[in-house]
Amino acid sequence: MNKFFYIIILSAFFGACTSNTILKKPKNLIPKEEMVDLLTDIFIANGAMSVKNTNLQRNVNYFPFVFEKHKIDTTRFKESNYYYTSRIDDYDEILGEVDKRLKDLKHQYENELKIRDSIKRTKRDSLRKATPYKKFKPNKNIQELQENSLKKEIIE
């Protein structure tokens, strides 16, 4: 009986905690298509923070560049993101499209790496065929070489 009482209290507590609040649409809401582009770039920028850039620096904050690229300020992004998170179906659709784009970009990057590697391998193989490495094989022994050098000295 005691366990049953605790289960009822906990279920009532968790039921009261859930919120079905849907926020009002902000005046400057970012459209879904643009939000997909923005979130894709944000995920790429987030992943790039741990990778060294061309100046061999890590932990560079690329988010300002993303907002500048899309001509969006952080307040507008936060309001739009908060609105879309209150509408789970829309946000799930946006994140699904972002995931699809990121997978496509990863696949494209892997294909480019394979092409680059095959080009390097082809160049390396063609260089090896053009200039094969030959081991030094003396066809005369040391005594013959000495005798020849002595003969040249006597003749001269």
Side-chain angles (χ1 to χ4, degrees):
M1 181 70 177
N2 202 7
K3 289 182 183 179
F4 182 70
F5 181 70
Y6 286 123
I7 292 173
I8 291 176
I9 290 177
L10 284 175
S11 63
F13 176 74
F14 286 124
C17 289
T18 59
S19 174
N20 293 330
T21 306
I22 296 178
L23 301 174
K24 289 182 182 178
K25 196 175 198 177
K27 293 178 185 176
N28 55 359
L29 180 69
I30 300 171
K32 283 184 182 181
E33 298 81 26
E34 195 174 337
M35 193 70 170
V36 169
D37 295 338
L38 182 63
L39 284 174
T40 301
D41 288 342
I42 285 175
F43 281 118
I44 291 171
N46 189 33
M49 287 181 68
S50 62
V51 178
K52 287 184 182 179
N53 62 12
T54 55
N55 298 329
L56 301 177
Q57 298 171 332
R58 286 185 192 226
N59 297 327
V60 178
N61 186 7
Y62 295 107
F63 296 118
F65 300 119
V66 172
F67 293 125
E68 184 179 319
K69 174 185 173 185
H70 293 278
K71 297 178 179 133
I72 294 174
D73 61 343
T74 55
T75 307
R76 183 175 176 202
F77 170 71
K78 286 180 184 178
E79 288 175 355
S80 297
N81 195 40
Y82 193 61
Y83 171 75
Y84 284 124
T85 55
S86 71
R87 302 176 56 93
I88 296 297
D89 295 335
D90 292 341
Y91 203 63
D92 188 43
E93 182 180 316
I94 290 171
L95 289 179
E97 184 64 30
V98 169
D99 186 46
K100 180 183 172 204
R101 284 190 185 181
L102 289 174
K103 286 179 181 177
D104 290 343
L105 286 172
K106 181 182 177 188
H107 183 69
Q108 179 182 354
Y109 177 72
E110 288 172 349
N111 286 341
E112 287 176 8
L113 278 179
K114 285 179 185 177
I115 291 170
R116 245 187 246 151
D117 289 345
S118 67
I119 290 171
K120 284 181 183 178
R121 196 172 336 143
T122 304
K123 284 182 181 178
R124 185 182 64 227
D125 292 344
S126 65
L127 285 174
R128 283 186 183 166
K129 289 178 184 176
T131 57
Y133 175 73
K134 294 182 180 178
K135 292 184 177 180
F136 176 70
K137 295 181 182 177
N139 52 2
K140 298 181 180 181
N141 62 23
I142 297 175
Q143 289 178 351
E144 288 178 15
L145 290 173
Q146 288 174 349
E147 288 173 5
N148 288 339
S149 65
L150 286 174
K151 287 178 185 177
K152 286 182 184 178
E153 287 178 11
I154 295 173
I155 296 174
E156 293 175 1

